[in-house]
Amino acid sequence: MDSSSLKRFAEYLPFLISLAVIGGILFGGIVISRWDYSVRGLSIAIPFVIAAAVLAYLFRHPQEIGDDGPLFGVSRFTLYRLYAVVYMVSIVLLIAGFDRHYYLVMLIGLFLILFVGIFSRTVSVPLTLCGIILTMMNIIYGITCAYPLFFSTTDVMGHIFMASVTYLSGHGIPVDLSPSYASFPLYHIFIAESAHILNLPIQQALFLVTCPAYALSVVFIYLIFTRITGNPRLSLFTCLVFSMTGVVLSEGVQMITRSAAFVGFVILLHLIFRMEAKNGNRQIFQGLAVILALFIILVHQVSIILIVILLFTLMICEYIVRDRKYISTIFVLYICVLFLGYWGYSALQFLAWFGRARWNIDFFEFEIKHTVLSDPTMDQTQVVLIYLYNNIPTSIFAAFAVTGAVYLIWRQKPKYLAVFGLFSLITLILYLPNPLFASETFAHLFRIDRFRILLSPIMTLAMASGFLLIYSHRGKRDVGKRIVRSILLIVFVCFAFFSLGTVVLTEDPGTQRLYFTSEEHTGFDFVFQSVPYGSALYSDYYTKRYFIQKKTDITEEFGLPYYQSGPLPGAIAIPRMEGYTILRNKQLLEYNLIFEENNARYSFRPTEKNIQLLSLSTDAANGVYSTGGLEIYQGLPE
C-alpha cells in the first residue's frame, strides 16, 4: 500500500471508529445478551469518540510529532536535587509505615519531575533513564519488601516452591510436581542460583534479583524507539509512560516466568532492529537473537507462541506499509522450528497437559465468565459505576493511544512509525477490555490476557505520541493553548494516580488485601512443623494457593512437605471436614474471605449472620492453633 492510500485509510478511520463503537455496544447487548457489557464498554467507547474528534482536527492542522513544542526552563541540577529529595522522602515514608496514600503522592511527584526533565531545554538521556529505572525499583521494592509475602495473583507462591525444589535437588522439578513447568526450568534455576550465591532464602532472592532485571527493560525500549523515531524526547516519554502503566508495574511486582519472558522479548526486539547492520555486527546480533529466542522458550511455555503471533503481525504491517523490513520471515520460522522441536522432543508431557486442558472448548460461550469478587449486596448499577471508576486509566490510555496510532499511520514521518501505528490498532482488541476477556473458555484457550504485557511497549508509544501531539500542538490563541496544556497535565496526573494506585495501594477496606501478614506467616510455619505431611488442608482461596506442595518422586528423598490442599466450601463445613481447616479470621473481620464451591468463588463477608454461623462452626471443631490473625481447626466428622 503506497503512502497516499495509507493516508486515505487513516482519514476514514475516525468514521470507522465511530461505527465500531456503535457496533460494539450492539454486539454486547444483542448478540451475547449482555447489556451490562455494553454499559461497561462506555469506558472505551467515549475515549474512542473523543479520539475521532481530535483526529479530525489534527488532519486539518497537521504537525510533526518531533516538534519540540513548549519546553520548561527549569535547570537540570534543580530537577536532580528535587528528585533526590522526593525520592528519599518516599523511602522514609515506607520505612516509617505512614499511610500509603502519602507514598503514592511522592511517586506522582517523582514522575512529574521526570516529565518536566524530559521536556526541559537541556535533557540528559542517561540520567533520565536512571531516574525512570530507580522509580520503578522504588515502587516494586516498596511493595515486595514491605510485607512478609505479597502474592498478587498468587502465581508467585507456586514459583517460590518450585525454585525451592530446584535449589534442594540441584536440577529441574520433576514432571509429577508440575507438567506445565518441568520442561521449562530456566526461571527456577536462575532463582535457585541467586539464592545460593547471595545466601538468602528463595523468596527474598526472588524479589531481590528480579526487580533490577525487569526495570532495565526500559533501556532497551528506549534504544528501540529512538532508533526508529530519531526523537529522544518521544522515546524518553514513552519509557516514562511505560514505567507508570498498571500492567507493567503489576508484572514487575510479581516478576514470574511470563515477566521474565517479556524482558527477553524486549531485548529480542532490540536485536531484531539491529540486524539490519551492514557491517560484520549483523551476524553477532543474529546469534544473540537466537540465544534470546532459546531463553524465552526455556523460561516460559506459552509466551513464545504469543511472541511469534506478534512478530507475524508486525511482518504483515511491514508488508502493508512497504518501508524497511526488520522482521525476517526466515528468522520467525526458525523460532517456530526451535520451539516446536523442543516441545516435540523434550516437552511431550507439557503438550499432553496442554491438549487435555483445552479439549472440547466452546469458543462462543460468553456466559461462563471469570468470577467477579464484588459485594453481593450491591446492585448492578453500583457494580457498573465501580467498573467505570476502576477503568479511568484505561479510558485515558485509549483516548491518547487511538489518537497517536491513527496519526502515525496518517503522517508517516518517519514512515516506519506507520507500522507501529497500524500494529497498535490491530492489537488493541488484545489490550483493552472487551467481551473476549469475559469468556472464560476463550481466554483460557488463547490466554489473551498474557498479550497485554507483551504489547505494552508499542502501546505506550502510541499513547505517548497522542499525548505529545495534543500537548505540543501550535494553535493560534495563546490562552487556548495554555488551557489545553493545563488540562492535559491534570489528565496526566490523573493517569498516574489511578495507574499507580491500583498497584501501590495494596489494600482496600472492604475488599481484599494481596499479602499475608506476619501472624499468618507464623501460622503457616506451624502447619509445616506440626501438621503431619499428607494431611488434608482446607482454607480460603488464597491460603489454598499457598499450600500447593504435593507428593512427588523426590519428596521423601529431600524431606519436602506435602499436603492435600483443597478449598473450604463454606464456614459451616469446618466440623465435618476430614483434616485441618486454616481460617484467617483477621482477614475476614477486616475484609472478607474467598471460598470456593462447585468450582465457583464467592465472597464470605463479615456480616453479623456470617460471624454467628462461623462461631457455631468453629465451636463444633477441635481448635489446634490460634493467634491474633489465624486459627487452625481439626474436623470431627461423624
Side-chain angles (χ1 to χ4, degrees):
M1 187 179 293
D2 56 30
S3 298
S4 59
S5 300
L6 273 176
K7 207 163 190 175
R8 286 195 300 270
F9 169 70
E11 290 171 348
Y12 285 119
L13 280 175
F15 174 72
L16 296 176
I17 288 171
S18 302
L19 287 181
V21 167
I22 298 173
I25 293 175
L26 295 177
F27 176 81
I30 298 176
V31 177
I32 62 175
S33 302
R34 295 299 302 263
W35 282 107
D36 57 320
Y37 285 174
S38 298
V39 177
R40 296 180 189 189
L42 293 176
S43 63
I44 304 300
I46 294 175
F48 274 27
V49 172
I50 294 174
V54 172
L55 285 166
Y57 175 83
L58 289 174
F59 290 159
R60 296 193 302 269
H61 305 85
Q63 71 170 44
E64 302 298 333
I65 299 178
D67 288 350
D68 287 338
L71 297 177
F72 298 97
V74 185
S75 167
R76 279 196 303 174
F77 298 102
T78 301
L79 290 174
Y80 299 157
R81 295 189 188 99
L82 184 59
Y83 179 89
V85 170
V86 176
Y87 198 93
M88 293 304 298
V89 171
S90 68
I91 295 176
V92 171
L93 291 176
L94 275 175
I95 296 175
F98 283 92
D99 188 292
R100 293 186 72 87
H101 285 85
Y102 297 111
Y103 174 59
L104 175 60
V105 171
M106 291 297 103
L107 293 177
I108 295 174
L110 291 175
F111 281 111
L112 281 175
I113 294 169
L114 291 169
F115 177 85
V116 173
I118 290 171
F119 298 102
S120 61
R121 298 191 184 279
T122 55
V123 57
S124 171
V125 171
L127 290 177
T128 304
L129 286 175
C130 285
I132 295 173
I133 291 171
L134 288 175
T135 305
M136 286 186 69
M137 293 176 66
N138 188 331
I139 297 171
I140 295 172
Y141 281 143
I143 297 173
T144 57
C145 297
Y147 308 106
L149 176 57
F150 184 83
F151 51 75
S152 186
T153 61
T154 72
D155 290 342
V156 70
M157 294 187 284
H159 290 293
I160 289 173
F161 178 67
M162 287 185 277
S164 300
V165 173
T166 303
Y167 180 88
L168 292 173
S169 64
H171 53 74
I173 61 174
V175 175
D176 54 352
L177 177 61
S178 175
S180 60
Y181 283 105
S183 301
F184 308 92
L186 204 56
Y187 175 84
H188 304 123
I189 292 174
F190 171 67
I191 301 302
E193 289 287 349
S194 300
H196 179 74
I197 293 171
L198 298 174
N199 194 26
L200 289 173
I202 291 293
Q203 177 183 319
Q204 295 181 18
L206 186 151
F207 290 132
L208 181 64
V209 302
T210 56
C211 173
Y214 187 80
L216 284 173
S217 62
V218 169
V219 175
F220 294 96
I221 292 173
Y222 172 80
L223 293 175
I224 292 170
F225 292 140
T226 195
R227 185 176 184 85
I228 298 299
T229 66
N231 187 339
R233 292 188 195 276
L234 174 59
S235 302
L236 284 175
F237 186 56
T238 300
C239 293
L240 183 68
V241 174
F242 170 83
S243 66
M244 60 195 294
T245 304
V247 63
V248 173
L249 293 175
S250 297
E251 289 294 331
V253 167
Q254 57 182 351
M255 187 54 182
I256 51 179
T257 50
R258 64 173 179 264
S259 309
F262 164 73
V263 175
F265 174 59
V266 171
I267 301 175
L268 178 64
L269 272 183
H270 169 63
L271 294 173
I272 287 174
F273 285 110
R274 293 296 302 273
M275 281 186 192
E276 69 162 359
K278 302 300 182 182
N279 52 25
N281 292 335
R282 178 185 179 90
Q283 286 73 26
I284 296 176
F285 292 127
Q286 288 176 336
L288 291 174
V290 172
I291 293 174
L292 258 296
L294 288 172
F295 166 82
I296 296 170
I297 292 170
L298 293 174
V299 82
H300 190 229
Q301 69 284 70
V302 177
S303 290
I304 191 63
I305 301 178
L306 309 183
I307 289 171
V308 167
I309 293 173
L310 295 182
L311 290 178
F312 269 119
T313 307
L314 265 176
M315 287 174 54
I316 295 172
C317 294
E318 286 183 339
Y319 177 78
I320 294 173
V321 175
R322 294 185 180 178
D323 190 43
R324 291 173 294 178
K325 296 188 182 299
Y326 291 101
I327 312 298
S328 167
T329 306
I330 295 176
F331 180 73
V332 176
L333 292 176
Y334 184 70
I335 294 177
C336 294
V337 171
L338 278 179
F339 86 80
L340 290 175
Y342 181 76
W343 285 13
Y345 286 98
S346 300
L348 290 176
Q349 297 89 347
F350 162 72
L351 280 178
W353 170 85
F354 188 83
R356 287 194 302 270
R358 287 154 178 81
W359 193 256
N360 292 329
I361 288 183
D362 184 357
F363 292 89
F364 302 100
E365 178 56 75
F366 288 88
E367 294 301 321
I368 302 176
K369 305 172 293 300
H370 292 286
T371 305
V372 179
L373 303 177
S374 58
D375 188 347
T377 62
M378 293 190 298
D379 58 30
Q380 191 62 37
T381 303
Q382 291 174 304
V383 173
V384 171
L385 289 177
I386 291 175
Y387 176 87
L388 295 176
Y389 176 82
N390 291 336
N391 279 273
I392 287 177
T394 303
S395 301
I396 295 173
F397 163 84
F400 289 119
V402 172
T403 302
V406 175
Y407 195 83
L408 291 177
I409 298 172
W410 185 79
R411 194 62 177 169
Q412 303 175 45
K413 291 186 178 180
K415 189 172 183 180
Y416 195 85
L417 279 179
V419 174
F420 285 151
L422 186 59
F423 178 83
S424 300
L425 284 182
I426 293 173
T427 56
L428 265 179
I429 194 172
L430 302 174
Y431 193 84
L432 295 177
N434 61 78
L436 293 180
F437 288 92
S439 170
E440 178 74 19
T441 51
F442 194 94
H444 180 68
L445 177 67
F446 292 108
R447 299 316 308 248
I448 57 176
D449 57 314
R450 304 284 175 86
F451 277 107
R452 296 195 69 204
I453 183 61
L454 297 174
L455 290 169
S456 56
I458 296 179
M459 290 297 177
T460 50
L461 172 67
M463 178 183 175
S465 301
F467 183 93
L468 292 185
L469 273 170
I470 304 172
Y471 182 77
S472 60
H473 189 76
R474 295 171 176 171
K476 296 180 179 180
R477 299 179 181 178
D478 291 337
V479 176
K481 286 190 294 184
R482 286 196 293 269
I483 292 175
V484 170
R485 290 166 188 166
S486 299
I487 293 174
L488 286 176
L489 284 176
I490 294 173
V491 171
F492 178 79
V493 172
C494 290
F495 178 76
F497 176 81
F498 286 103
S499 293
L500 297 174
T502 58
V503 180
V504 173
L505 303 179
T506 53
E507 51 185 295
D508 183 12
T511 55
Q512 191 60 246
R513 58 172 161 82
L514 301 178
Y515 63 89
F516 292 126
T517 64
S518 57
E519 294 171 333
E520 291 168 347
H521 231 261
T522 302
F524 296 160
D525 290 338
F526 173 83
V527 173
F528 289 126
Q529 296 170 6
S530 303
V531 174
Y533 291 169
S535 300
L537 301 180
Y538 302 96
S539 56
D540 63 278
Y541 171 75
Y542 294 106
T543 306
K544 184 198 75 171
R545 293 282 290 169
Y546 182 86
F547 290 98
I548 65 164
Q549 303 83 4
K550 64 180 182 179
K551 191 171 184 179
T552 65
D553 293 338
I554 63 172
T555 295
E556 300 293 342
E557 179 182 356
F558 295 100
L560 298 173
Y562 61 96
Y563 296 100
Q564 302 175 44
S565 182
L568 181 67
I572 61 175
I574 294 176
R576 66 173 187 266
M577 306 306 291
E578 294 186 4
Y580 297 83
T581 297
I582 303 173
L583 183 65
R584 295 192 293 149
N585 53 352
K586 185 177 180 180
Q587 162 70 23
L588 171 62
L589 296 176
E590 294 181 355
Y591 303 92
N592 56 34
L593 286 176
I594 306 303
F595 291 140
E596 293 181 90
E597 189 171 12
N598 298 325
N599 294 322
R601 300 180 213 160
Y602 67 94
S603 175
F604 186 80
R605 305 187 66 81
T607 62
E608 182 178 352
K609 179 181 178 181
N610 285 343
I611 295 299
Q612 290 177 352
L613 289 174
L614 182 64
S615 178
L616 292 173
S617 181
T618 54
D619 289 343
N622 179 30
V624 297
Y625 179 86
S626 178
T627 186
L630 184 138
E631 296 175 352
I632 301 176
Y633 296 91
Q634 186 174 15
L636 301 172
E638 297 178 359

